[in-house]
Amino acid sequence: MWDDAFPSFLIGLREGLEAGLIVSILVATLVRAEARSRLPQVWTGVLAAIAVAMSFGAVLTFTAASMPQTAQEAFGGVLSVIAVAFVTAMVFWMRRSARNLSSELKQKVSGALAMGSGMLILTSFLAVGREGLETALFLWTTAQAAGESAGPLTGAAIGLLLAAGLCWGLYRRVLKINLTKFFTATGVVLIVIAAGVLGYGLRDLQEGGVLPGKTAYAVDLAGSIDAGSWYSTLIQGVFNLMPTMTWLQVVAYVAYLAVVMTLFVRGVRVTAPKAKPETATQRSAGASGEGSAARKPAAARRRPVWVVPAAVVAVPAVVAGLFVALGRPKPAGDQTVAVSETDCGKGFTAPEPGRQTFQMHNTGRQASEVYLVDPSTNAVYGEIEGLAPGTTRDLVATIAGGTYAWRCVPASGKAVTSKAVTVTGGGAAKPVAPVSEQDLAAPLKSYKSYVGKGLDTLAGQTRALQHDIEGGHLDRARTDWLTAHRTYASLGAAYGTFEDFDKKIDGRADGLPGGERDKDFSGFLRLEYGLWHGRSAKELTGPARQLSTDVAGLGKAFPSQDFDPGDLPLRAHEILENTLQFELTGDTDEGSGTNLATADANLAGTRELLTVLKPLLTDRAPKVLPTVDTDIDRVQKLLDAQHDGGHWTPVEKLSDADRRRLDGATGQLLEDLAPIPDLLEIRKSA
């Protein structure tokens, strides 16, 4: 979490120290003027500034959440650019003003004392409010970039607490800090961070369709680095530099950094003019003004001390609340829709276009699947699985012009569809075309044919392996073992269908009481352990015969085994997920050092599976397969580089760079495969 927290920690520390110094100077000025009774007015202004900043953050959060996805991207991009402008102005202002901040504020306090309590509240509010609004905006943009709020908020909280401690120490004169050097050093770091935020913001604007060049990549290192490594995560979190960046991002990053950093560093080298010392007349006038203000008679009627502080907190909160309430989608956005096995969609009326939240309440006696559909095409805009009786859950969907209805599918019984409503206006929404078991019938038939042929080939290969071992030809057996094991590994999408055969054929020693020597350890990995740990042909003959028998048994049983068509989309992701977890860590290596060969076979199995799913994916998400094909080719090239003929580089002997590249490319492939199970999920219709 620290990688996401650091930018917010720095902004919290710096902005907190700026605001804290201002408050410290205000308080010190009043104390020296013997006007302690006016201190509550300073704290009231500070409280008002904090309330406004927090309300501003709440409004930003709601405004973004209530927008369609593309509008969210554009909104976040605009605010990121604005945040960069504010931070840039802030670092230059503080560099220029740090030396004279105290004298300027003292003059403002003297004037405010003479004009009354309202001006003193306003002075402290304006002095602190700028930092509060900048902090709220920068925190919001960093949270958007991180994709979560816990890290940025934690970092900001730590920075603000540390700033408060430093300001207290400075005020009490127990600490000495060269503020000029502090603000210069943090300014340099913030400029680098702001350059990353600018790049992130421009990417959001491209994603939102505001700026062109969304696919014009200047840098694409997704296959060359491990996106999940600590250093990659740190760089992405702190500097917003991504493995893949467009030309616009790169040019803007470099140009901003070059121009702003040059101006900032050049300005630091210029010697600032020293502030002129106060004359005796000025000191006398200041003391006179402060003293006369301190000696002003109290008002005849005093209001309760809590009224103004309460008001300055309540007013921003109320204004933000009204903004949120008035800015919410029309009543349809928070409709409560009742569903049951006999009546679906009670209370449903035509919603307004945009992002809407529906509260789905199951009033029936059975759990139910609930879908928001286009009744003419059955396309799905939103869904809830397993809505239990008596429970309420939110369903969020983006509404555009079209026809909508609710479809409820109870655990037992027929589907019920509500009356359709028509929505006019609005932008475009992207529903998911439904997939039925019938749609998956042809891909399933093709894949079962592929597996059947693979099992026939595997049966012949395991018999050859058995004969090698029985004849004492262990060198030949090692070669034939790898050939057979790769064939089995290429049948990945059928593992769940193989039932107990998979455990017998490719089971692991993990969890067995005797480990590799356990009597229940069998199959390919049992033979691998024996062949590469000096076991004799006599010792391996029994396991080899058993493997051949089990493979033959699986070949006979497979045509009648129940192959769930819903497994096909799931396996598109799971095959390589297991590869990353087991093969690319060397976890399943029993001595042969051929985990990368197994990974290569798993990749071939994934490619075959995607081939049979291609017609369904092309219709529903035409951009998915080209992206995935590019990822597969990248992983394939990395694997091809690690073998020479029949010899494969063991995982533990990979260089750190090669391992990072392979893990990173596989991770990217998994990320791009992840939408397939949702796109091809079987939706119940009866």
Side-chain angles (χ1 to χ4, degrees):
M1 186 174 67
W2 179 243
D3 53 306
D4 292 330
F6 178 73
S8 297
F9 163 78
L10 187 62
I11 200 71
L13 175 61
R14 184 183 169 105
E15 294 276 18
L17 192 53
E18 286 185 28
L21 286 172
I22 292 170
V23 173
S24 298
I25 294 169
L26 291 174
V27 171
T29 304
L30 291 175
V31 170
R32 291 168 187 167
E34 298 183 355
R36 290 178 180 270
S37 61
R38 310 295 293 275
L39 288 177
Q41 295 161 14
V42 173
W43 298 120
T44 298
V46 171
L47 195 61
I50 294 172
V52 168
M54 295 181 69
S55 300
F56 178 58
V59 169
L60 287 179
T61 302
F62 167 78
T63 303
S66 62
M67 291 179 175
Q69 185 62 38
T70 54
Q72 287 186 40
E73 300 285 359
F75 181 71
V78 169
L79 289 184
S80 294
V81 174
I82 293 174
V84 170
F86 278 174
V87 170
T88 305
M90 177 262 290
V91 296
F92 279 95
W93 176 80
M94 200 59 194
R95 186 206 67 197
R96 183 177 63 253
S97 304
R99 293 182 178 88
N100 302 320
L101 184 62
S102 178
S103 59
E104 291 177 5
L105 279 172
K106 286 178 182 178
Q107 293 175 6
K108 291 182 180 180
V109 172
S110 298
L113 281 169
M115 297 180 68
S117 60
M119 280 304 299
L120 190 55
I121 292 174
L122 183 62
T123 299
S124 58
F125 170 78
L126 293 176
V128 179
R130 166 179 166 156
E131 277 68 30
L133 291 175
E134 287 177 350
T135 303
L137 180 57
F138 196 84
L139 277 180
W140 189 86
T141 55
T142 53
Q144 290 293 109
E148 54 95 19
S149 58
L153 288 178
T154 301
I158 295 172
L160 290 170
L161 288 173
L162 181 57
L166 292 173
C167 288
W168 180 87
L170 291 169
Y171 176 75
R172 303 296 298 180
R173 299 184 181 180
V174 297
L175 282 177
K176 289 185 178 180
I177 299 176
N178 188 322
L179 294 175
T180 300
K181 290 184 178 179
F182 172 83
F183 285 117
T184 299
T186 55
V188 169
V189 179
L190 275 177
I191 289 171
V192 175
I193 292 174
V197 173
L198 177 62
Y200 170 82
L202 293 177
R203 179 59 178 171
D204 269 357
L205 291 173
Q206 290 178 311
E207 294 286 349
V210 177
L211 294 177
K214 177 180 176 181
T215 58
Y217 295 114
V219 178
D220 185 3
L221 302 177
S224 303
I225 63 174
D226 179 7
S229 63
W230 67 268
Y231 60 85
S232 179
T233 303
L234 183 65
I235 291 173
Q236 292 180 56
V238 174
F239 301 111
N240 278 303
L241 291 175
M242 304 301 172
T244 303
M245 296 181 69
T246 64
W247 278 106
L248 179 61
Q249 287 179 279
V250 172
V251 171
Y253 182 92
V254 174
Y256 174 88
L257 206 56
V259 173
V260 177
M261 189 68 78
T262 300
L263 293 175
F264 184 80
V265 173
R266 184 180 297 171
V268 170
R269 294 173 180 171
V270 177
T271 303
K274 295 183 179 180
K276 295 180 180 179
E278 291 181 327
T279 64
T281 304
Q282 289 172 324
R283 287 196 297 270
S284 174
S288 174
E290 293 166 358
S292 61
R295 292 191 295 270
K296 285 185 70 175
R301 290 187 301 171
R302 296 177 59 87
R303 67 173 65 90
V305 294
W306 54 268
V307 171
V308 175
V312 299
V313 173
V315 170
V318 170
V319 171
L322 289 173
F323 185 94
V324 169
L326 296 175
R328 291 179 70 85
K330 301 305 179 187
D334 271 339
Q335 294 181 42
T336 298
V337 181
V339 302
S340 70
E341 54 269 28
T342 58
D343 189 5
C344 183
K346 186 176 181 180
F348 179 49
T349 58
E352 293 290 332
R355 192 174 178 84
Q356 305 289 356
T357 300
F358 302 93
Q359 296 178 342
M360 311 306 298
H361 179 61
N362 190 343
T363 59
R365 297 181 178 180
Q366 297 185 40
S368 182
E369 311 289 316
V370 183
Y371 305 105
L372 179 63
V373 301
D374 179 342
S376 61
T377 64
N378 292 322
V380 178
Y381 289 90
E383 63 183 306
I384 293 179
E385 297 182 356
L387 182 62
T391 60
T392 301
R393 287 163 59 186
D394 287 348
L395 186 150
V396 180
T398 299
I399 305 297
T403 305
Y404 297 86
W406 292 103
R407 179 163 296 150
C408 306
V409 185
S412 61
K414 295 183 178 180
V416 182
T417 303
S418 73
K419 181 181 178 180
V421 301
T422 300
V423 176
T424 57
K430 295 182 180 179
V432 176
V435 174
S436 65
E437 289 192 15
Q438 185 177 359
D439 294 325
L440 284 168
L444 180 61
K445 182 179 179 181
S446 297
Y447 194 77
K448 288 182 72 173
S449 175
Y450 163 76
V451 173
K453 293 177 182 177
L455 289 175
D456 289 341
T457 301
L458 181 64
Q461 292 170 343
T462 52
R463 285 196 299 271
L465 174 60
Q466 175 188 339
H467 295 327
D468 291 340
I469 292 176
E470 288 176 341
H473 307 297
L474 297 188
D475 286 339
R476 188 190 306 164
R478 293 184 185 95
T479 300
D480 288 345
W481 174 90
L482 180 58
T483 301
H485 192 234
R486 281 169 54 82
T487 298
Y488 185 77
S490 69
L491 309 178
Y495 292 164
T497 304
F498 291 165
E499 299 174 349
D500 292 337
F501 283 103
D502 182 54
K503 186 175 181 180
K504 296 176 182 178
I505 293 172
D506 206 33
R508 301 164 62 199
D510 294 4
L512 296 176
E516 282 83 358
R517 292 179 173 80
D518 195 280
K519 60 182 180 61
D520 292 327
F521 183 36
S522 62
F524 278 111
L525 299 189
R526 169 68 179 86
L527 285 175
E528 178 186 7
Y529 180 81
L531 286 169
W532 275 272
H533 284 82
R535 298 298 184 264
S536 66
K538 182 178 180 181
E539 292 178 276
L540 297 177
T541 296
R545 289 175 178 173
Q546 186 61 50
L547 174 62
S548 184
T549 299
D550 290 335
V551 168
L554 174 59
K556 292 178 181 178
F558 178 70
S560 61
Q561 288 178 326
D562 183 20
F563 199 138
D564 185 349
D567 281 351
L568 286 180
L570 288 173
R571 297 295 184 266
H573 184 270
E574 289 179 352
I575 297 172
L576 290 177
E577 193 173 56
N578 290 336
T579 301
L580 186 62
Q581 181 180 359
F582 299 118
E583 270 66 49
L584 297 186
T585 60
D587 191 57
T588 54
D589 183 17
E590 293 291 352
S592 68
T594 59
N595 276 108
L596 294 185
T598 306
D600 181 70
N602 288 336
L603 189 66
T606 300
R607 198 190 296 268
E608 179 64 31
L609 177 58
L610 292 173
T611 299
V612 302
L613 293 175
K614 183 176 181 178
L616 295 177
L617 288 171
T618 301
D619 291 342
R620 288 162 176 79
K623 295 182 180 180
V624 168
L625 280 179
T627 301
V628 167
D629 287 342
T630 300
D631 293 341
I632 289 177
D633 290 342
R634 183 183 298 144
V635 176
Q636 188 68 65
K637 289 178 182 178
L638 293 172
L639 289 172
D640 289 344
Q642 299 304 325
H643 74 94
D644 180 14
H647 175 73
W648 289 79
T649 304
V651 170
E652 66 272 13
K653 292 187 178 180
L654 287 172
S655 68
D656 289 342
D658 286 340
R659 176 174 286 194
R660 287 194 299 269
R661 280 192 287 268
L662 186 55
D663 288 347
T666 306
Q668 183 63 52
L669 173 55
L670 281 170
E671 184 176 333
D672 292 331
L673 286 170
I676 292 178
D678 288 334
L679 288 169
L680 302 184
E681 180 184 356
I682 296 175
R683 266 84 179 182
K684 298 178 182 178
S685 59

